Amino acid sequence: MSVRWSRRDFSAGSAEIAKRLIGSTLVRILDDGERLSGMIVETEAYLGVEDAAAHSFGGRRTARNEAMYAVGGTAYVYFTYGMHHCVNVVCGGIDEPVAVLIRALEPMEGMERMTALRNAGGRRKTPMRHRDLCSGPGKLCQALAIDRGLNGVDLVSSDVLWIEKPATRRKVRLANGPRIGVAYAGEWAGRPYRWWMEGNANVSGRR
DNA sequence: ATGACGATTTACT
DNA sequence: GTAAATCGTCATA
């Protein structure tokens, strides 16, 4: 039996949670009941009102980022670049707008369905490779059918989206470095709040 | 009402 | 390496 992340697990700070999430499993149950999952291999911490890279920088609170102000364990899903979704885990307590972005998964269950979801639209020119299924924040949302319909979902109690702890704590080498796509954030752009499983083929970026 | 801009991905030169 | 795709959101007026 697998153990889900609990409310208490989500109450730590985002840097700590970003590290602890590596090796856990993101589970998604589709409308037809099919179970999809992947091991989290890359995350980014967003530290809240003082973090110039965070959507909640300076206490900004809008319709889009409202979920960031909910209790730890809430899913914050947003739409960006006119075509992609990203999923975050909210950390800490109520009105503490801190979160961890899930950036990449190693596909575990339902890979055929993920491939179909990633090819939806049918105008892809290059064939989908296994390591392209979930190797980026937008990719994994498409592969797991995560969109704004899941924004605000409680990962502690939901029956369609949650996180499971590793069955056995394997030894994994963690690497860390600057976050991706936050060049606008001044001094905060270079801070090493991105973590990944070293050597894993599903980590985002070019090789 | 308008305009600038994304916590990205994909394809092309 | 460079650029297009594509549109919801938010700040400004």
Side-chain angles (χ1 to χ4, degrees), chain A residues 3 5 17-26 38-43 102 104-106 108 163-174 195-198 200:
Chain A
V3 179
W5 276 59
I17 288 178
K19 283 185 270 191
R20 290 183 191 165
L21 278 172
I22 305 290
S24 282
T25 302
L26 180 65
M39 178 174 67
I40 297 169
V41 299
E42 181 182 356
T43 58
I102 299 179
L105 306 175
E106 176 176 314
M108 304 286 288
I163 296 172
E164 293 178 356
K165 298 180 180 181
T168 60
R169 192 38 102 171
R170 299 186 310 184
K171 262 187 189 166
V172 294
R173 197 187 289 269
L174 278 194
W195 283 270
W196 64 92
M197 195 177 287
E198 194 161 276
N200 189 286

Side-chain angles (χ1 to χ4, degrees), chain A residues 154-167:
Chain A
D154 180 15
L155 299 171
V156 172
S157 59
S158 171
D159 55 2
V160 296
L161 188 68
W162 64 86
I163 296 172
E164 293 178 356
K165 298 180 180 181

